[in-house]
Short mmCIF file of all heavy atoms in Angstrom, two decimals:
data_model
loop_
_atom_site.label_atom_id
_atom_site.label_comp_id
_atom_site.label_asym_id
_atom_site.label_seq_id
_atom_site.Cartn_x
_atom_site.Cartn_y
_atom_site.Cartn_z
N ASP A 1 -35.74 -57.85 -9.62
CA ASP A 1 -34.67 -58.02 -8.65
C ASP A 1 -35.10 -58.93 -7.50
O ASP A 1 -34.28 -59.51 -6.85
CB ASP A 1 -34.25 -56.66 -8.14
CG ASP A 1 -32.82 -56.63 -7.64
OD1 ASP A 1 -32.03 -57.48 -8.07
OD2 ASP A 1 -32.51 -55.75 -6.84
N TYR A 2 -36.39 -59.02 -7.25
CA TYR A 2 -36.89 -59.89 -6.20
C TYR A 2 -37.91 -60.86 -6.80
O TYR A 2 -38.64 -60.52 -7.71
CB TYR A 2 -37.56 -59.09 -5.09
CG TYR A 2 -36.61 -58.25 -4.30
CD1 TYR A 2 -36.29 -56.95 -4.69
CD2 TYR A 2 -36.00 -58.75 -3.17
CE1 TYR A 2 -35.39 -56.19 -3.98
CE2 TYR A 2 -35.11 -57.99 -2.45
CZ TYR A 2 -34.81 -56.71 -2.85
OH TYR A 2 -33.93 -55.96 -2.14
N SER A 3 -37.93 -62.06 -6.29
CA SER A 3 -38.94 -63.02 -6.74
C SER A 3 -39.88 -63.32 -5.57
O SER A 3 -39.47 -63.33 -4.42
CB SER A 3 -38.28 -64.29 -7.25
OG SER A 3 -37.57 -64.93 -6.22
N ASN A 4 -41.12 -63.58 -5.88
CA ASN A 4 -42.09 -63.86 -4.86
C ASN A 4 -42.81 -65.15 -5.23
O ASN A 4 -43.52 -65.20 -6.22
CB ASN A 4 -43.08 -62.71 -4.74
CG ASN A 4 -44.08 -62.93 -3.64
OD1 ASN A 4 -44.17 -64.01 -3.07
ND2 ASN A 4 -44.84 -61.90 -3.33
N SER A 5 -42.58 -66.19 -4.46
CA SER A 5 -43.21 -67.48 -4.74
C SER A 5 -44.58 -67.59 -4.07
O SER A 5 -45.19 -68.64 -4.09
CB SER A 5 -42.31 -68.61 -4.24
OG SER A 5 -42.19 -68.54 -2.84
N GLY A 6 -45.05 -66.54 -3.49
CA GLY A 6 -46.35 -66.55 -2.83
C GLY A 6 -46.20 -66.52 -1.32
O GLY A 6 -46.96 -65.86 -0.65
N LEU A 7 -45.24 -67.24 -0.78
CA LEU A 7 -45.07 -67.29 0.67
C LEU A 7 -43.86 -66.48 1.14
O LEU A 7 -43.88 -65.86 2.18
CB LEU A 7 -44.90 -68.74 1.14
CG LEU A 7 -46.08 -69.66 0.88
CD1 LEU A 7 -45.73 -71.07 1.30
CD2 LEU A 7 -47.30 -69.17 1.64
N ILE A 8 -42.80 -66.54 0.36
CA ILE A 8 -41.55 -65.94 0.79
C ILE A 8 -40.98 -65.09 -0.34
O ILE A 8 -40.96 -65.50 -1.49
CB ILE A 8 -40.52 -67.04 1.16
CG1 ILE A 8 -41.06 -67.86 2.32
CG2 ILE A 8 -39.18 -66.45 1.50
CD1 ILE A 8 -40.24 -69.07 2.64
N VAL A 9 -40.49 -63.90 -0.01
CA VAL A 9 -39.83 -63.05 -0.97
C VAL A 9 -38.33 -63.28 -0.85
O VAL A 9 -37.79 -63.34 0.24
CB VAL A 9 -40.16 -61.56 -0.71
CG1 VAL A 9 -39.41 -60.66 -1.65
CG2 VAL A 9 -41.65 -61.34 -0.82
N SER A 10 -37.65 -63.45 -1.99
CA SER A 10 -36.20 -63.66 -1.95
C SER A 10 -35.52 -62.81 -3.01
O SER A 10 -36.14 -62.40 -3.99
CB SER A 10 -35.86 -65.14 -2.15
OG SER A 10 -36.33 -65.57 -3.41
N HIS A 11 -34.26 -62.56 -2.84
CA HIS A 11 -33.47 -61.75 -3.75
C HIS A 11 -32.92 -62.63 -4.86
O HIS A 11 -32.35 -63.69 -4.60
CB HIS A 11 -32.33 -61.08 -2.95
CG HIS A 11 -31.62 -60.04 -3.72
ND1 HIS A 11 -30.52 -60.30 -4.48
CD2 HIS A 11 -31.89 -58.72 -3.87
CE1 HIS A 11 -30.12 -59.18 -5.05
NE2 HIS A 11 -30.93 -58.22 -4.70
N ASP A 12 -33.07 -62.20 -6.10
CA ASP A 12 -32.67 -63.01 -7.25
C ASP A 12 -31.20 -63.40 -7.24
O ASP A 12 -30.87 -64.56 -7.49
CB ASP A 12 -32.97 -62.28 -8.56
CG ASP A 12 -34.46 -62.19 -8.86
OD1 ASP A 12 -35.24 -62.92 -8.23
OD2 ASP A 12 -34.83 -61.37 -9.71
N SER A 14 -28.91 -63.54 -4.70
CA SER A 14 -28.53 -64.46 -3.64
C SER A 14 -29.18 -65.82 -3.83
O SER A 14 -28.58 -66.86 -3.54
CB SER A 14 -28.85 -63.88 -2.25
OG SER A 14 -30.23 -63.62 -2.11
N THR A 15 -30.40 -65.84 -4.37
CA THR A 15 -31.08 -67.11 -4.63
C THR A 15 -30.33 -67.90 -5.70
O THR A 15 -30.12 -69.10 -5.56
CB THR A 15 -32.54 -66.87 -5.07
OG1 THR A 15 -33.23 -66.24 -3.99
CG2 THR A 15 -33.23 -68.17 -5.43
N ALA A 59 -27.46 -61.79 6.18
CA ALA A 59 -28.79 -61.63 6.77
C ALA A 59 -29.66 -62.84 6.46
O ALA A 59 -29.60 -63.40 5.36
CB ALA A 59 -29.45 -60.37 6.23
N PRO A 60 -30.47 -63.28 7.41
CA PRO A 60 -31.34 -64.44 7.19
C PRO A 60 -32.25 -64.30 5.96
O PRO A 60 -32.66 -65.30 5.39
CB PRO A 60 -32.16 -64.52 8.48
CG PRO A 60 -31.32 -63.86 9.50
CD PRO A 60 -30.57 -62.78 8.79
N PHE A 61 -32.54 -63.08 5.56
CA PHE A 61 -33.35 -62.84 4.37
C PHE A 61 -32.83 -63.62 3.17
O PHE A 61 -33.59 -64.08 2.34
CB PHE A 61 -33.34 -61.33 4.07
CG PHE A 61 -33.97 -60.96 2.76
CD1 PHE A 61 -35.35 -60.83 2.64
CD2 PHE A 61 -33.19 -60.72 1.64
CE1 PHE A 61 -35.93 -60.48 1.44
CE2 PHE A 61 -33.76 -60.37 0.43
CZ PHE A 61 -35.14 -60.25 0.33
N HIS A 62 -31.50 -63.80 3.08
CA HIS A 62 -30.88 -64.44 1.93
C HIS A 62 -30.78 -65.95 2.04
O HIS A 62 -30.78 -66.64 1.02
CB HIS A 62 -29.49 -63.85 1.68
CG HIS A 62 -29.53 -62.39 1.35
ND1 HIS A 62 -29.95 -61.92 0.14
CD2 HIS A 62 -29.22 -61.30 2.10
CE1 HIS A 62 -29.89 -60.60 0.13
NE2 HIS A 62 -29.46 -60.21 1.31
N TRP A 63 -30.66 -66.50 3.23
CA TRP A 63 -30.43 -67.94 3.36
C TRP A 63 -31.52 -68.71 4.11
O TRP A 63 -31.67 -69.91 3.93
CB TRP A 63 -29.07 -68.23 4.01
CG TRP A 63 -28.87 -67.54 5.33
CD1 TRP A 63 -28.23 -66.36 5.54
CD2 TRP A 63 -29.32 -67.99 6.61
NE1 TRP A 63 -28.27 -66.03 6.87
CE2 TRP A 63 -28.92 -67.02 7.56
CE3 TRP A 63 -30.02 -69.11 7.04
CZ2 TRP A 63 -29.20 -67.15 8.90
CZ3 TRP A 63 -30.30 -69.24 8.39
CH2 TRP A 63 -29.88 -68.25 9.30
N ALA A 64 -32.32 -68.04 4.93
CA ALA A 64 -33.31 -68.73 5.75
C ALA A 64 -34.53 -69.26 5.00
O ALA A 64 -35.14 -70.22 5.46
CB ALA A 64 -33.77 -67.83 6.89
N PRO A 65 -34.92 -68.70 3.85
CA PRO A 65 -36.13 -69.22 3.19
C PRO A 65 -36.00 -70.64 2.66
O PRO A 65 -37.00 -71.26 2.31
CB PRO A 65 -36.34 -68.25 2.01
CG PRO A 65 -35.62 -67.02 2.38
CD PRO A 65 -34.46 -67.47 3.20
N PHE A 66 -34.79 -71.19 2.62
CA PHE A 66 -34.59 -72.49 2.01
C PHE A 66 -34.66 -73.59 3.05
O PHE A 66 -33.89 -73.62 4.01
CB PHE A 66 -33.24 -72.53 1.28
CG PHE A 66 -33.15 -71.49 0.22
CD1 PHE A 66 -32.55 -70.27 0.47
CD2 PHE A 66 -33.70 -71.72 -1.02
CE1 PHE A 66 -32.49 -69.30 -0.51
CE2 PHE A 66 -33.66 -70.76 -2.01
CZ PHE A 66 -33.06 -69.55 -1.74
#
Side-chain angles (χ1 to χ4, degrees):
D1 205 24
Y2 292 88
S3 62
N4 183 350
S5 64
L7 298 176
I8 298 172
V9 176
S10 61
H11 191 269
D12 289 344
S14 60
T15 298
F61 171 82
H62 297 286
W63 54 264
F66 301 95

